[in-house]
Amino acid sequence: MEGYLSKLRGLASSAVNAIQSKIGRDYAVDLSARPVGHSGLWALHRATRRSSSSSGGTSGGTQVTVWVFEKQRYFEQGINRQLFTEREQSLVVERLRAEAGQLTRLRHPSVLQVVEPLEETRTWLMFVTEQVIASLDDLIQKTDSVKRVIDGDEEFELDDLEIQKGLLQVSKALGFLHSDAHIVHGNLVPASVLVNSKGDWKLGGFGFTQPANAENPRRFEHDYQMPEHTQQDLDYLAPEYVLHGTWSPACDVFAFGCLVAAVYEGAAPMRCRNDVGAYRREIARLPDSAVNVPEDLMPAVTGLLRSDPHARATLRDFQDSKYFNDVRVATLRYLETLVEQAEDQKIQFLRSLVRILPKFPDRILRCKIQPLLYEHATDTQLLPFIMPSVMFIIDRMTADEFARRAMAGLKPLLAAVHASAPSLCVVLDHLAVLEAKAPAAVFRADIMDLVYGALMSTDASVQDKALHAVPSISKKLDPHDLQEKLLPRVQHVYARASVLTHKVRALICLHGMLPSLDKETIISKVMPMLKRTKTREPAVVMAMLAMYEELGLRHLDKQAVAAEVLPVLWAQCVDGRLRAEQFARFMQVIRKLGDRVEKEHLEYLDRRKRVLGDGGGATAAAAAVVDDSVGGDDFADDMDTGAFEAMVLGGSQTNGNSRNSSRRPGQQPAMQNPLADLGNDAKWAWDADEPLSTQSPLAPSNGSPSVPRSSASTVTVDVDFIASPADDEFGAFGSYVSPTTASANANATQKNVASRLRTTTPQRLGNLPNYNISPKPMTLIGQTASAASKFSTSQKHAGGKASDLGDFDPFA
């Protein structure tokens, strides 16, 4: 028990000392937690840089790995219950210091990066590197599918691509040591290779480095009193060094061949147990022991494991092996060196990259390729070619992976996309992907800003992409954002569109947004826009028909349908520019709306008849109650008789009409003549004194529409004809407009086109029927090919200008 308490006190003391150190202040690390792995005597702990820290090469929130060696705890345990002497303790610490110091001095993409140098106290050694998820030794313990849990829910698997990429990276690191640093690693074992968060293999374990041209190199001697991790591993040492004491870079090449074999075999090709005699026997059977090495790689491994250092293959020979002639490996290598390529080669590579990405495992995409793309996305010229690949990778992620791995790097890209129309088009094309992956708050705050900006863009292609994206996302937005941010911008596009497809698309967007808009917004903002629309292009008219049908069938009362919708549809359906099938569609909608008005009004009259009774003796209050029931609301037919009379009569008969106030009890009120208050001159149309035979005909004999009488009321004018066409310009409209009545018919057209609308919320666009809306892409309004386009119209009615909606302001 006492020993257990002593151990706890030692851990607490180490933790306190760690907190008091610079690393403890700058990084959040839990030393009491289980390490994510080990590399020799070092325990690897996850840590996060504190945001308040300003030192070092990392920013706040960056994930790192803290390497910790607890001297007191380790030395108290000893080896085989034998405590270390002071000399042995000094040798262990000196070896670990040399490893951390050499690692700090070396800088190469394939060498483990040190973030904070070594700190030492009485109880521990500690330094910080880039984030490490495991050592290679941890990952090759099993011969079959090697998996390791990373970040709690992700499985790491050493597949062929991971191995190919990793072996090339280690070979490059060794080449750097030999050619540039002029040192020999001296102990290249799986524990010396670390795998970082991107899946890259990084070289570490520099505790036994010596100069490449050392005259008196350190001889191999195994001390059984010292920890194995502080000594060279005989299973990976070259024969010329073990047997003859010769030291050269070729020793690392032999060790690298053993490491390659160990990756595929699951263990070192030699098992000497630090016995030189066993080593002599094992070296004689190399490389026959490597039986699981891929066939294409076997010649290269055989060359690396030759006993004669002069006949041994070089690292370049290994890198040129046909085993690495994999397009995925070549793609990764090219991407890693992209910064060295010419600008045109970068563009060509990035443009083709998205076609090869489906061949990569998901983990390589999100952990390796995506960070590299983010690094190059700072070049605005490359951004349009990078975004397709970025969006493809995001589409392959889960929502959780996107939040953890992609969102932080994507935000700077989204900010840069605003200034690049091609990049913005790519993002808008994949807006559904971002909507599915991004958290709702992030989508509304960061991604929707791109949509708002695209709708206000002067680039027609950007506006078109935005209009295509709006219907699918509008119903998922916050109601406030929809009404105050998205709606005004869609109306802005509609009011000022100079492209026919944009105008139609804007109407489709509005149709999809209506289910999410409240009634007040629809009445105050949407209806004025529709009412003031003067464009009569068939595509626009058919799109408006879709909205009117939804409103009339589901969201307006019968009075509004009869007074505000049907007149507009009748006026629009007789436009000569409509095709026969489009006119038929108009008539179908008109009949459906008319049937609805007829049905509901008959029901209303029936209810009114039941309430008033056959004698018509109900008071004005009863009539008001019946009137209030219009629109389909339930009426209390089974109300108690006394309560009904109290409601109808108001408790006193003297409050009724003065002409009925003097009747006797029980007497029914006299029926009033509805025309009694009218003057003697008031008459119905069929009461006219003039015989029908002498009245003006309804239509001219030549088939042209009749000219309204001068007493007809005027309506809002949507289309003004400013000139009468010549006789040969009527074309298909010859039966509609006669040359002798052109001026009169122009006036008639003005007085027959009206637009009034009241509404409630329609249903979503998904139920939109086929309205034969087929505008040619990017066709300017007023440039249709029909014969009707020969009419001369004023510029403000040609569509697409600010005056198209009069004084309507979508941002009011």
Side-chain angles (χ1 to χ4, degrees):
M1 185 65 178
E2 182 63 28
Y4 177 74
L5 293 176
S6 175
K7 186 176 295 186
L8 288 179
R9 285 192 293 269
L11 289 174
S13 176
S14 298
V16 170
N17 291 332
I19 293 175
Q20 294 175 349
S21 69
K22 181 180 183 299
I23 294 177
R25 292 192 306 269
D26 293 347
Y27 298 88
V29 55
D30 184 5
L31 297 181
S32 63
R34 183 179 180 180
V36 297
H38 291 82
S39 179
L41 297 180
W42 296 100
L44 310 182
H45 291 269
R46 291 178 181 156
T48 304
R49 188 170 189 83
R50 303 183 193 276
S51 57
S52 59
S53 174
S54 59
S55 61
T58 58
S59 58
T62 303
Q63 299 291 319
V64 296
T65 296
V66 177
W67 295 53
V68 179
F69 173 70
E70 298 186 52
K71 293 187 290 186
Q72 184 177 359
R73 181 183 180 185
Y74 183 80
F75 292 143
E76 286 179 355
Q77 293 177 349
I79 298 179
N80 298 326
R81 299 183 180 179
Q82 298 293 325
L83 298 179
F84 292 97
T85 64
E86 291 187 3
R87 174 182 172 277
E88 291 169 344
Q89 293 181 17
S90 177
L91 289 175
V92 170
V93 173
E94 185 61 32
R95 185 74 65 195
L96 296 177
R97 287 199 199 107
E99 178 180 352
Q102 188 69 273
L103 190 61
T104 303
R105 289 187 290 270
L106 296 173
R107 286 288 184 270
H108 187 268
S110 296
V111 174
L112 189 65
Q113 179 185 359
V114 175
V115 178
E116 297 286 352
L118 181 70
E119 290 186 10
E120 182 177 1
T121 67
R122 184 177 57 86
T123 57
W124 47 258
L125 298 173
M126 182 184 299
F127 67 101
V128 182
T129 68
E130 61 181 298
Q131 186 180 17
V132 172
I133 59 175
S135 69
L136 184 59
D137 188 46
D138 294 330
L139 297 175
I140 64 175
Q141 292 302 314
K142 299 178 181 179
T143 56
D144 296 330
S145 179
V146 180
K147 297 181 179 180
R148 180 180 178 84
V149 177
I150 304 298
D151 293 339
D153 60 353
E154 181 183 346
E155 291 184 341
F156 185 96
E157 182 176 355
L158 279 179
D159 57 20
D160 288 340
L161 181 59
E162 291 273 3
I163 294 173
Q164 289 174 338
K165 174 177 64 69
L167 292 177
L168 284 174
Q169 290 171 332
V170 174
S171 67
K172 291 179 180 179
L174 289 176
F176 163 74
L177 295 183
H178 300 161
S179 302
D180 298 307
H182 304 290
I183 60 176
V184 177
H185 189 278
N187 192 40
L188 183 59
V189 296
S192 300
V193 178
L194 293 309
V195 181
N196 69 4
S197 58
K198 297 179 181 178
D200 295 329
W201 292 14
K202 298 296 186 80
L203 188 59
F206 292 97
F208 295 90
T209 58
Q210 296 187 67
N213 55 356
E215 296 181 358
N216 297 309
R218 181 174 51 249
R219 300 294 297 269
F220 171 76
E221 293 181 3
H222 185 76
D223 186 350
Y224 290 94
Q225 299 299 321
M226 296 291 291
E228 290 187 4
H229 294 300
T230 61
Q231 303 185 70
Q232 292 171 297
D233 191 337
L234 186 59
D235 293 344
Y236 291 87
L237 294 180
E240 67 270 21
Y241 172 65
V242 175
L243 302 178
H244 306 292
T246 303
W247 186 257
S248 69
C251 296
D252 281 346
V253 174
F254 180 89
F256 180 63
C258 294
L259 184 142
V260 173
V263 169
Y264 290 100
E265 300 293 334
M270 297 186 295
R271 298 171 180 82
C272 307
R273 303 191 180 190
N274 293 315
D275 181 5
V276 176
Y279 178 85
R280 293 178 184 273
R281 294 190 298 272
E282 292 288 330
I283 199 70
R285 66 183 186 89
L286 283 181
D288 296 337
S289 58
V291 295
N292 293 322
V293 176
E295 182 179 354
D296 291 340
L297 187 61
M298 193 63 195
V301 174
T302 301
L304 296 176
L305 294 178
R306 290 195 179 108
S307 298
D308 183 359
H310 301 290
R312 193 171 296 155
T314 64
L315 294 174
R316 173 57 64 182
D317 295 334
F318 175 81
Q319 295 169 3
D320 293 339
S321 170
K322 65 178 182 179
Y323 175 69
F324 299 106
N325 293 339
D326 186 329
V327 65
R328 299 175 301 173
V329 177
T331 299
L332 290 175
R333 295 171 70 176
Y334 198 96
L335 185 59
E336 290 172 345
T337 60
L338 188 63
V339 67
E340 304 171 3
Q341 309 301 325
E343 195 71 16
D344 58 336
Q345 293 177 330
K346 292 180 182 178
I347 293 175
Q348 183 178 358
F349 171 79
L350 292 172
R351 181 185 286 115
S352 304
L353 177 62
V354 70
R355 296 199 296 268
I356 197 67
L357 290 182
K359 298 182 179 181
F360 286 90
D362 289 347
R363 189 182 181 281
I364 296 293
L365 290 176
R366 63 176 178 265
C367 296
K368 177 64 178 178
I369 297 180
Q370 181 178 257
L372 290 174
L373 293 176
Y374 283 174
E375 293 176 5
H376 294 289
T378 55
D379 187 343
T380 56
Q381 293 184 349
L382 299 180
L383 187 59
F385 308 101
I386 290 175
M387 290 307 299
S389 298
V390 170
M391 300 309 299
F392 175 85
I393 296 173
I394 291 175
D395 192 23
R396 296 274 289 265
M397 291 182 174
T398 65
D400 181 64
E401 290 170 345
F402 175 81
R404 290 189 295 112
R405 297 185 178 277
M407 193 64 232
L410 185 62
K411 284 186 177 181
L413 267 67
L414 294 179
V417 161
H418 278 286
S420 174
S423 303
L424 186 55
C425 288
V426 174
V427 175
L428 293 173
D429 281 336
H430 296 81
L431 203 60
V433 174
L434 295 175
E435 179 189 4
K437 308 299 181 181
V442 173
F443 182 80
R444 290 194 300 266
D446 297 308
I447 300 175
M448 280 306 299
D449 281 346
L450 295 177
V451 181
Y452 301 146
L455 289 172
M456 304 299 290
S457 173
T458 57
D459 191 302
S461 61
V462 172
Q463 275 193 343
D464 188 63
K465 297 289 186 181
L467 290 171
H468 275 78
V470 166
S472 63
I473 63 174
S474 59
K475 53 183 172 291
K476 299 183 180 180
L477 292 180
D478 179 82
H480 178 270
D481 291 344
L482 188 72
Q483 296 179 18
E484 302 299 329
K485 296 181 179 180
L486 184 59
L487 176 61
R489 288 167 173 81
V490 174
Q491 291 180 309
H492 173 85
V493 175
Y494 181 75
R496 291 160 176 79
S498 59
V499 178
L500 178 61
T501 52
H502 289 183
K503 212 165 192 68
V504 175
R505 272 285 162 192
L507 284 173
I508 296 176
C509 291
L510 291 170
H511 191 288
M513 294 164 60
L514 287 175
S516 302
L517 298 178
D518 57 51
K519 183 176 181 179
E520 180 181 356
T521 301
I522 292 174
I523 294 175
S524 63
K525 294 188 177 181
V526 178
M527 303 317 156
M529 182 197 73
L530 295 174
K531 181 178 179 180
R532 298 174 188 177
T533 299
K534 297 179 176 63
T535 301
R536 287 298 176 262
E537 293 289 342
V540 177
V541 171
M542 297 306 295
M544 293 177 67
L545 175 63
M547 297 190 67
Y548 282 133
E549 182 183 23
E550 290 296 323
L551 292 170
L553 288 178
R554 296 174 177 85
H555 308 287
L556 292 179
D557 57 33
K558 64 181 179 66
Q559 284 90 346
V561 174
E564 316 241 7
V565 176
L566 286 174
V568 175
L569 297 183
W570 277 113
Q572 291 180 349
C573 75
V574 296
D575 193 313
R577 287 172 286 187
L578 297 178
R579 300 191 303 272
E581 58 270 22
Q582 292 173 331
F583 173 76
R585 182 59 188 147
F586 259 96
M587 297 308 300
Q588 179 185 2
V589 174
I590 289 173
R591 281 191 291 267
K592 289 165 65 175
L593 297 183
D595 291 344
R596 181 204 164 188
V597 172
E598 178 184 6
K599 177 182 177 182
E600 293 187 6
H601 193 61
L602 287 175
E603 293 174 353
Y604 159 74
L605 293 176
D606 183 62
R607 287 195 300 271
R608 183 182 180 93
K609 179 179 179 180
R610 291 200 306 269
V611 173
L612 296 179
D614 293 337
T619 64
V625 171
V626 177
D627 290 339
D628 289 341
S629 68
V630 174
D633 295 337
D634 294 336
F635 191 80
D637 292 335
D638 56 350
M639 184 179 294
D640 179 76
T641 303
F644 177 78
E645 292 179 355
M647 179 184 69
V648 174
L649 301 178
S652 174
Q653 297 179 354
T654 60
N655 295 332
N657 191 295
S658 60
R659 284 177 285 189
N660 296 330
S661 61
S662 60
R663 63 183 175 88
R664 295 187 301 274
Q667 180 183 358
Q668 294 294 332
M671 180 174 291
Q672 301 299 320
N673 183 358
L675 301 179
D677 294 332
L678 296 177
N680 295 328
D681 295 334
K683 296 182 181 294
W684 297 106
W686 49 80
D687 294 332
D689 295 333
E690 183 182 3
L692 291 177
S693 59
T694 62
Q695 295 181 20
S696 298
L698 296 178
S701 58
N702 59 0
S704 300
S706 62
V707 180
R709 306 172 71 91
S710 60
S711 60
S713 59
T714 60
V715 295
T716 303
V717 178
D718 282 342
V719 179
D720 294 326
F721 293 98
I722 61 174
S724 298
D727 294 349
D728 57 348
E729 291 181 341
F730 289 103
F733 287 81
S735 61
Y736 181 70
V737 180
S738 131
T740 60
T741 60
S743 176
N745 287 341
N747 295 330
T749 303
Q750 295 175 353
K751 298 174 182 179
N752 287 331
V753 182
S755 173
R756 296 174 57 204
L757 191 60
R758 293 171 55 199
T759 185
T760 56
T761 306
Q763 69 178 15
R764 63 188 180 85
L765 185 59
N767 297 326
L768 180 64
N770 181 13
Y771 287 98
N772 297 310
I773 300 175
S774 56
K776 295 182 180 179
M778 311 301 284
T779 302
L780 292 179
I781 297 175
Q783 295 182 0
T784 57
S786 67
S789 64
K790 297 181 180 180
F791 282 102
S792 299
T793 61
S794 63
Q795 178 61 42
K796 69 175 184 177
H797 297 148
K801 305 303 179 182
S803 58
D804 184 40
L805 298 182
D807 297 329
F808 177 73
D809 183 6
F811 294 93

